[in-house]
Amino acid sequence: MTVAVETRETAIHGDRVSLLRVLGPAHVWALGVGIVLVGEFTGWNFAADKGGALAALIVCWIVGLLYTSVAMIDSEVTSTVAAAGGQYAQAKHIVGPLMAFNVALFLVFAYTMLEVSDAILLGDTIVAKAGVEGLTHNSFIAATIVVLAWLNYRGVLMTLNVNFIITAVAYVSIVILFFSVSPWTQGAVLKLNELVTPGNALPYGWIGVIAAFQFGIWYYLGIEGTTQAAEEVRSPARSLPYGTMAGMITLLIAAAMTWYVCASLMPWEYLGITYYPLWDAGKLTGSPLLENLLFIATLLAALASANGCINDAARAWFSLGRDRYLPSWFSAVHPKYRTPYRSILFLLPIALAFAFIADLNQAITFSILSGVLQYTFMSINIMMFRKKWPLGSIRRGYTHPFHPLPAIVLFCLCVVTFFAIFLGFGSQLIAMVAFYFLISLWFHFYRYKFVRRGDQFTMPWPKPQGY
């Protein structure tokens, strides 16, 4: 039996149309891993260009610690504040409207720009495989974004069922590649000892390791997207922690296998500039079967990521409309498909516009910065959450261990990542921070008056001061 969660009355129709609780832990896993896995097929390897192959491995594990902290904190707060919008819903209950508005924007731009990066990657991969003179990626980008938006329009259960299948296939391809290159016999296929030597392990020293943090984020960027479907999960207290932590473990294993194979087949100078590290690794094995498998898997990973990003960005935008941070027109839920269809349709042309005017590096950087801003908030958010509602004062779906250590680790690593982004894209970092500052002023002086702060506190807890 399907249980529906009632939303507020829609501004246009006045009838109560609700999102549906239809998702389980496997769907949460598919949403989180599906968004992230494309980072194993491209993106992470640019860390090698910043600091060498060994730097890419170091940041793989250090950034893995950052995202493990994210997953632990997110699992506690979201399984307790189980509402659409994920980190936005957390911010509006724990911090306040201005922080919530900014967090929602971080989410929307992080996922929309990641969707753009995925579409560009998919189009470029098809063009590279086709090898047809004059063929451009534009038509493939447009088709990808439009078709996936239509899929999301038609329903979350179908969307994430598709994501589960294509994510599993893409992940299995990495496992097959790993076991096909005799990973326990260096020298047979893999040449790690020859390619990563004491002389080139860290060609730019430790400053190169710090610079590599920017693209090390790509190993795991988006795992926090599991929380965006909190209002559509059957059992948030069970499904969100299990799905998120299982997804994080899955990604740690995939990241380690990916680095080992790619660094053992390609010199760091080439690894750091290619857009297709795993596909190139498949080519270098000399097996046409592996080459074609990794080509298909690259496309599937890009599709799964873009699909999940559309889902998550639309939920964040929908939540802003439902709480009147934006016009309530965006809060409409489709009467048949039970999806935030207006938010999906509104973000569609924005994604298309960015896909045609931005290059892959710019899109990736925009997504990374928005994500890191959000993670910095999370470290503050969990401190406030534990202070306002100590353990035992309210019922939690999950309680993460070692508090406050994960929050401290998360905050410190976010600071390092900001510095890394400044080293590579300083002007873009300043421009984006200025953008978020100006949009915050717009919200404070114009939109805040429409917010009904007391109404948006929907949890059955003692209200903190100010509500």
Side-chain angles (χ1 to χ4, degrees), residues 1-51:
M1 178 178 179
T2 300
V3 180
V5 176
E6 295 295 325
T7 65
R8 295 182 183 180
E9 289 188 355
T10 60
I12 302 301
H13 301 292
D15 53 352
R16 298 179 70 87
V17 183
S18 50
L19 301 175
L20 296 176
R21 288 198 184 277
V22 293
L23 306 178
H27 297 104
V28 175
W29 177 91
L31 179 59
V33 177
I35 290 175
V36 182
L37 195 61
V38 68
E40 320 305 331
F41 288 84
T42 192
W44 71 270
N45 56 297
F46 299 142
D49 184 51
K50 296 291 184 179

Side-chain angles (χ1 to χ4, degrees), residues 19 82-86 88-89 227-232 315-316 318-319 322:
L19 301 175
Y88 158 77
T227 64
Q228 296 304 307
E231 202 167 305
E232 296 157 282
R315 266 71 187 167
F318 158 81
S319 299
R322 186 168 63 174

Side-chain angles (χ1 to χ4, degrees), residues 71-413:
M72 292 168 64
I73 292 170
D74 236 6
S75 293
E76 174 173 334
V77 184
T78 307
S79 63
T80 308
V81 189
Q87 292 80 11
Y88 158 77
Q90 300 171 22
K92 76 173 184 179
H93 283 88
I94 299 168
V95 184
L98 182 59
M99 177 62 81
F101 176 74
N102 276 280
V103 168
L105 287 185
F106 299 158
L107 292 167
V108 171
F109 281 107
Y111 294 127
T112 299
M113 296 310 292
L114 180 51
E115 172 197 349
V116 167
S117 303
D118 296 329
I120 294 172
L121 171 65
L122 185 142
D124 286 346
T125 305
I126 293 175
V127 170
K129 179 68 171 178
V132 177
E133 186 176 353
L135 182 64
T136 67
H137 64 195
N138 290 346
S139 58
F140 300 110
I141 289 174
T144 298
I145 293 174
V146 170
V147 169
L148 292 179
W150 172 82
L151 184 64
N152 277 269
Y153 183 98
R154 292 294 300 270
V156 68
L157 183 60
M158 179 172 63
T159 297
L160 295 187
N161 279 337
V162 170
N163 246 41
F164 181 82
I165 295 170
I166 61 180
T167 299
V169 172
Y171 190 86
V172 168
S173 75
I174 298 176
V175 177
I176 292 173
L177 175 65
F178 180 78
F179 285 102
S180 298
V181 293
S182 303
W184 294 283
T185 309
Q186 272 289 330
V189 179
L190 305 181
K191 311 289 183 182
L192 186 63
N193 291 336
E194 299 175 17
L195 295 173
V196 182
T197 65
N200 69 16
L202 294 175
Y204 307 120
W206 287 100
I207 191 66
V209 176
I210 294 174
F213 266 74
Q214 176 183 354
F215 292 107
I217 293 287
W218 209 242
Y219 280 112
Y220 314 103
L221 178 65
I223 184 62
E224 73 282 356
T226 55
T227 64
Q228 296 304 307
E231 202 167 305
E232 296 157 282
V233 173
R234 288 191 295 269
S235 175
R238 173 177 174 269
S239 298
L240 290 172
Y242 284 178
T244 302
M245 296 308 294
M248 193 62 216
I249 293 169
T250 301
L251 292 168
L252 286 166
I253 295 171
M257 290 192 297
T258 298
W259 178 88
Y260 182 66
V261 172
C262 292
S264 299
L265 289 173
M266 288 171 262
W268 70 271
E269 296 93 340
Y270 178 78
L271 179 60
I273 62 172
T274 179
Y275 285 117
Y276 320 104
L278 278 172
W279 184 23
D280 283 345
K283 294 177 183 177
L284 291 170
T285 64
S287 167
L289 179 62
L290 286 176
E291 177 185 342
N292 290 324
L293 174 64
L294 270 299
F295 164 73
I296 294 170
T298 301
L299 300 183
L300 293 179
L303 283 172
S305 180
N307 196 27
C309 286
I310 293 171
N311 179 91
D312 287 355
R315 266 71 187 167
W317 199 257
F318 158 81
S319 299
L320 284 173
R322 186 168 63 174
D323 289 324
R324 303 171 70 90
Y325 288 60
L326 292 174
S328 56
W329 185 85
F330 292 113
S331 67
V333 177
H334 196 285
K336 178 179 179 181
Y337 302 123
R338 304 295 181 90
T339 56
Y341 69 105
R342 286 182 184 159
S343 294
I344 293 170
L345 294 177
F346 176 80
L347 293 174
L348 173 61
I350 296 175
L352 287 170
F354 275 112
F356 291 130
I357 64 175
D359 63 35
L360 187 57
N361 277 337
Q362 290 174 328
I364 289 175
T365 302
F366 200 152
S367 180
I368 288 172
L369 176 60
S370 298
V372 177
L373 285 168
Q374 175 204 151
Y375 308 146
T376 307
F377 147 74
M378 289 173 62
S379 63
I380 300 169
N381 183 58
I382 187 62
M383 294 288 197
M384 296 182 67
F385 184 54
R386 286 288 185 98
K387 183 178 180 179
K388 291 183 176 181
W389 296 281
L391 295 181
S393 63
I394 60 173
R395 182 181 178 184
R396 284 167 162 79
Y398 166 81
T399 302
H400 83 274
F402 311 122
H403 180 77
L405 186 58
I408 295 170
V409 169
L410 177 58
F411 184 84
C412 292
L413 292 178

